[in-house]
Amino acid sequence: MDSSKSWEHKSLLTEIIEGMELAKQLRLSLSAASSSDTRQFLVQRILSSYEKALLILNFSGPAQSTAGAIASVPESLVSAYAGPCFDDYNKSPKDHQDLTDVSKKRKIMAKWTDHVMRVSSENGIEGPHEDGHSWRKYGQKDILGAKHPRSYYRCTYRNTQSCYATKQVQRSDEDPTIFEITYKGKHTCSHGSNSVLPPPSPEQQEQKRNKQNNTSHQQQSQGIQMSFPTNLRVDTKFLEDRENMASPFSFTSTSFGSAGESNYYLMPPSQMRNIAGNEQLSECGLTEIISANNSSTNSPIPEMDFPLEPVEIEPNFPFDTTGIFS
DNA sequence: GTAATTTGACCACA
DNA sequence: TGTGGTCAAATTAC
């Protein structure tokens, strides 16, 4: 690591640690009935701190570090962003036609990629991700050069609501606890992230079948929101810069809908709201998601509730900074 | 009984 | 022709 990288690393750590400290102060402030001005000030400071950290990431080389952070965003978030307006940018009318013509098989599939992310399961169980959508597995294929087969999922409501969203899940060769997930298409069904409690994902169902441990049961009974801090960790390696992204993220709506073949997200909704603004995001259907995320502690979108949950800012929160920023 | 998963076969693309 | 994506019958789970 050269000196500039080291400086960035240090600055990032400083900003993130400051954000944590401020969040703790805010928590104390909330419990201590301090003035709303104080709280707002703390919130502003927290957001500012994270903005700076993200800015540093943005300047410090696109694909590696920032993409790593992207992978830390729970799939649900990314998937949600990928929803309403996420994929029309690269589909021609013919593509839309083909989507409804199953006999054409994979004619257009090569151009379908919406976004790719990697999620990691610390306990190694299958299915580290839950995105609020209901998926049905329709195939599995051994991929040349890959140690693990690739699984293919489509929306459960493909037939009933003509929802043609699909995803591919592949276990990483290097780290079997990491899953590379590729989303394709958009959800047009009404059973997505807005459902009160989504049906268990195929991965969760597999967990149930395997009965590997009690954790999955606890996750299900307690709500999915708790599964992120416990089961997911930041995948610092993330994706290679295969899409040659000029910038892995920007705070404008373009990064959500028309940036290119693939899109990578690294920000929790709260950050996106703060930086991008609701007006722009709403074009992609983000407002609904974000407001839901912030509107209630009993969010109907449990997996959206990750940014400032107490567990996230506990002192023992697994800030694996060596992995994040290396 | 219904829904989801598995898996071999088929098809399109490079 | 090999590979990846999808189909669909058979199987399994609930």
Side-chain angles (χ1 to χ4, degrees), chain A residues 212-231:
Chain A
Q212 291 190 344
N213 53 48
N214 291 330
T215 307
S216 61
H217 301 291
Q218 291 169 357
Q219 288 165 5
Q220 289 183 349
S221 61
Q222 294 175 1
I224 300 164
Q225 78 182 75
M226 298 307 294
S227 67
F228 286 115
T230 56
N231 286 342

Side-chain angles (χ1 to χ4, degrees), chain A residues 19-34 38-39 42-43 46 308-317:
Chain A
M20 275 181 62
E21 290 302 320
L22 290 166
K24 289 177 186 173
Q25 290 179 36
L26 176 60
R27 185 172 57 179
L28 287 174
S29 172
L30 287 171
S31 61
S34 54
T38 303
R39 294 173 190 169
L42 287 171
V43 168
I46 293 166
L308 289 175
E309 285 293 312
V311 63
E312 299 287 350
I313 55 177
E314 285 296 320
N316 61 348
F317 178 76

Side-chain angles (χ1 to χ4, degrees), chain A residues 57-118:
Chain A
L57 278 171
N58 198 23
F59 280 123
S60 64
Q64 293 85 9
S65 55
T66 52
I70 293 163
S72 70
V73 177
E75 176 195 89
S76 57
L77 304 175
V78 178
S79 175
Y81 302 151
C85 68
F86 199 70
D87 67 341
D88 280 358
Y89 56 86
N90 63 356
K91 286 196 182 70
S92 66
K94 177 181 178 300
D95 289 339
H96 283 289
Q97 181 183 348
D98 284 349
L99 284 175
T100 61
D101 185 355
V102 295
S103 68
K104 298 297 174 76
K105 297 221 168 173
R106 68 178 188 128
K107 211 166 200 174
I108 64 169
M109 299 311 293
K111 297 178 181 178
W112 254 35
T113 301
D114 282 342
H115 65 287
V116 183
M117 66 180 300
R118 296 173 80 178

Side-chain angles (χ1 to χ4, degrees), chain A residues 123-284:
Chain A
N123 55 11
I125 59 175
E126 183 89 16
H129 47 287
E130 168 59 53
D131 57 13
H133 288 288
S134 182
W135 299 99
R136 174 179 293 190
K137 188 174 184 176
Y138 67 87
Q140 180 171 302
K141 192 80 174 179
D142 286 323
I143 300 302
L144 198 68
K147 293 175 183 174
H148 304 100
R150 178 179 299 167
S151 296
Y152 300 89
Y153 298 89
R154 66 163 63 111
C155 180
T156 299
Y157 308 104
R158 180 187 179 93
N159 295 326
T160 57
Q161 297 187 29
S162 298
C163 180
Y164 293 102
T166 66
K167 73 172 180 180
Q168 300 174 0
V169 178
Q170 177 140 30
R171 196 182 284 254
S172 170
D173 286 348
E174 297 81 19
D175 186 348
T177 65
I178 293 174
F179 295 82
E180 297 182 15
I181 304 166
T182 304
Y183 289 89
K184 300 176 180 178
K186 68 177 179 181
H187 279 279
T188 58
C189 62
S190 60
H191 295 74
S193 298
N194 291 334
S195 57
V196 173
L197 269 179
S201 69
E203 295 80 11
Q204 281 185 309
Q205 291 166 15
E206 187 164 340
Q207 290 175 34
K208 279 172 58 180
R209 281 196 307 276
N210 293 340
K211 293 179 168 55
Q212 291 190 344
N213 53 48
N214 291 330
T215 307
S216 61
H217 301 291
Q218 291 169 357
Q219 288 165 5
Q220 289 183 349
S221 61
Q222 294 175 1
I224 300 164
Q225 78 182 75
M226 298 307 294
S227 67
F228 286 115
T230 56
N231 286 342
L232 297 182
R233 64 175 171 81
V234 174
D235 169 24
T236 59
K237 289 172 285 189
F238 193 56
L239 299 170
E240 64 279 14
D241 186 19
R242 64 179 193 173
E243 305 294 346
N244 293 320
M245 292 182 294
S247 174
F249 68 92
S250 64
F251 302 139
T252 66
S253 58
T254 56
S255 68
F256 299 99
S258 60
E261 191 175 22
S262 294
N263 292 274
Y264 302 84
Y265 302 102
L266 57 75
M267 300 179 67
S270 57
Q271 289 286 318
M272 291 197 170
R273 179 202 59 218
N274 178 61
I275 296 172
N278 283 346
E279 291 80 7
Q280 288 177 326
L281 295 178
S282 65
E283 295 174 8
C284 291

